[in-house]
Amino acid sequence: MDPDLFRNIIDQLHPHVIYLNLHFQGEPYLHPHFTEFVSYAKTKGIYVSTSTNGHYLTPEKAADTVNSGLDRLIISVDGTDQETYQKYRVGGNYEKVIAGIRELVQQKKLSGSRKPKLVVQFLVLKPNEDQIMKIRQLGKELGVDKVELKTAQFYDFQHGNPLMPENPKHSRYRKVRSANKEALFEIRNLLPNHCFRMWSSCVITWDGQVVPCCFDKDATYKMGNIRDANFGVIWRNKIYQDFRQKILSSRKKIDICSNCTEGIGISRFF
């Protein structure tokens, strides 16, 4: 995202926004101005959180992160050894991520800062189900603020996936049987005709497109572009109102909702 566009978005929204997730489909630390973005949002009194794969937390980046005022940083650690970790994070370097976490903890101590709150996020999968106790212990050893367990999303979940955990409480999906008794899966969500997100938040992509939520990963449902119109106009326009009405009348028919956890009835973290 262009820095001028980011400042324009924050300048428009800061009187109304209290929480900013500064990430979407990419790795935030690849952006050369990322910590500057955080600092600018903080000058407007906004709580800022982000999520990283942890591979770019050099000593310099760690120091910049602490100095930026970032409130919350989620670091994905989906295994407690290289062999398990790389089964999902293909090409990832487990030791590099752990070193980056240690660097963040050290930088917080050096600066005397309590921020950012460091959260190790563990995506529970079949290869790492037996490491849940280990990741909790690792979090204590590293000195992070919290370890969170997260259920995994799969695109073609109906036909299963070899990474799906065995324990159903660790999964967003459950087994069902079709008419021909072929084992299939469905999301553990009745998809009721409501969604709090439609009236409380949205996603703005790198190029200014406003889309309804983070489950619209490919920006299929464009409500408008903030480069062309004021956000308030987009938020209230007919495209947005029509989409909200579809949520209230037939949410199951909207493709991005078919794999959504909003209203699933189970905690995202357990």
Side-chain angles (χ1 to χ4, degrees), residues 137-229:
Q137 182 59 40
L138 177 62
K140 292 179 182 179
E141 293 173 2
L142 291 172
V144 300
D145 297 285
K146 191 175 184 181
V147 172
E148 289 182 339
L149 310 180
K150 184 182 177 184
T151 58
Q153 181 186 34
F154 298 99
Y155 287 107
D156 187 21
F157 64 85
Q158 294 92 341
H159 299 95
N161 187 294
L163 290 175
M164 279 186 175
E166 295 284 350
N167 190 329
K169 83 170 186 176
H170 298 160
S171 179
R172 299 183 185 189
Y173 312 98
R174 61 187 168 206
K175 271 188 177 182
V176 295
R177 289 197 175 274
S178 62
N180 61 5
K181 296 185 179 181
E182 178 186 359
L184 297 173
F185 292 83
E186 65 180 11
I187 192 165
R188 295 168 63 187
N189 192 342
L190 298 176
L191 294 176
N193 291 330
H194 58 76
C195 180
F196 177 70
R197 299 183 191 207
M198 293 303 100
W199 287 266
S200 64
S201 63
C202 69
V203 169
I204 302 177
T205 64
W206 68 272
D207 56 352
Q209 296 290 350
V210 178
V211 299
C213 72
C214 61
F215 282 91
D216 189 3
K217 299 182 186 299
D218 298 317
T220 302
Y221 296 91
K222 299 178 179 67
M223 303 294 120
N225 195 301
I226 203 165
R227 295 177 300 181
D228 305 322

Side-chain angles (χ1 to χ4, degrees), residues 15 30 45 61 92 109 121 123 141-142 144 148 188 266-267:
L30 288 177
K61 288 289 186 184
K109 289 179 179 177
Q121 181 174 274
L123 198 63
E141 293 173 2
L142 291 172
V144 300
E148 289 182 339
R188 295 168 63 187
I266 60 171
S267 177

Side-chain angles (χ1 to χ4, degrees), residues 16-252:
H16 313 288
V17 171
I18 59 173
Y19 195 111
L20 172 64
N21 280 319
L22 199 51
H23 63 94
F24 184 34
Q25 292 300 297
E27 166 54 47
Y29 280 92
L30 288 177
H31 198 297
H33 301 287
F34 171 69
T35 52
E36 296 171 29
F37 287 178
V38 175
S39 295
Y40 190 74
K42 291 304 300 175
T43 66
K44 305 296 184 178
I46 301 172
Y47 184 100
V48 184
S49 173
T50 195
S51 179
T52 177
N53 63 34
H55 283 77
Y56 302 93
L57 299 174
T58 62
E60 180 182 7
K61 288 289 186 184
D64 288 346
T65 297
V66 174
N67 293 332
S68 72
L70 183 69
D71 294 285
R72 186 170 186 259
L73 178 58
I74 300 169
I75 310 108
S76 297
V77 186
D78 306 315
T80 57
D81 56 68
Q82 177 63 28
E83 181 181 0
T84 306
Y85 176 81
Q86 68 184 0
K87 287 182 179 178
Y88 180 74
R89 300 283 172 180
V90 178
N93 186 320
Y94 171 77
E95 292 298 337
K96 189 173 185 179
V97 174
I98 298 303
I101 295 172
R102 294 188 191 280
E103 191 62 48
L104 280 165
V105 172
Q106 178 65 14
Q107 289 295 337
K108 284 177 64 176
K109 289 179 179 177
L110 289 174
S111 66
S113 175
R114 298 177 64 183
K115 298 191 299 184
K117 181 178 181 180
L118 299 178
V119 180
V120 164
Q121 181 174 274
F122 188 77
L123 198 63
V124 182
L125 305 159
K126 185 174 181 178
N128 67 17
E129 275 185 287
D130 61 342
Q131 295 183 340
I132 290 175
M133 293 303 296
K134 288 182 180 179
I135 194 66
R136 286 176 169 149
Q137 182 59 40
L138 177 62
K140 292 179 182 179
E141 293 173 2
L142 291 172
V144 300
D145 297 285
K146 191 175 184 181
V147 172
E148 289 182 339
L149 310 180
K150 184 182 177 184
T151 58
Q153 181 186 34
F154 298 99
Y155 287 107
D156 187 21
F157 64 85
Q158 294 92 341
H159 299 95
N161 187 294
L163 290 175
M164 279 186 175
E166 295 284 350
N167 190 329
K169 83 170 186 176
H170 298 160
S171 179
R172 299 183 185 189
Y173 312 98
R174 61 187 168 206
K175 271 188 177 182
V176 295
R177 289 197 175 274
S178 62
N180 61 5
K181 296 185 179 181
E182 178 186 359
L184 297 173
F185 292 83
E186 65 180 11
I187 192 165
R188 295 168 63 187
N189 192 342
L190 298 176
L191 294 176
N193 291 330
H194 58 76
C195 180
F196 177 70
R197 299 183 191 207
M198 293 303 100
W199 287 266
S200 64
S201 63
C202 69
V203 169
I204 302 177
T205 64
W206 68 272
D207 56 352
Q209 296 290 350
V210 178
V211 299
C213 72
C214 61
F215 282 91
D216 189 3
K217 299 182 186 299
D218 298 317
T220 302
Y221 296 91
K222 299 178 179 67
M223 303 294 120
N225 195 301
I226 203 165
R227 295 177 300 181
D228 305 322
N230 181 277
F231 179 81
V233 173
I234 297 172
W235 185 251
R236 297 175 181 87
N237 69 19
K238 188 176 187 303
I239 299 172
Y240 227 136
Q241 298 293 4
D242 288 348
F243 187 84
R244 292 185 180 111
Q245 187 56 47
K246 288 179 182 178
I247 291 286
L248 294 174
S249 59
S250 53
R251 183 178 169 206
K252 291 181 179 179

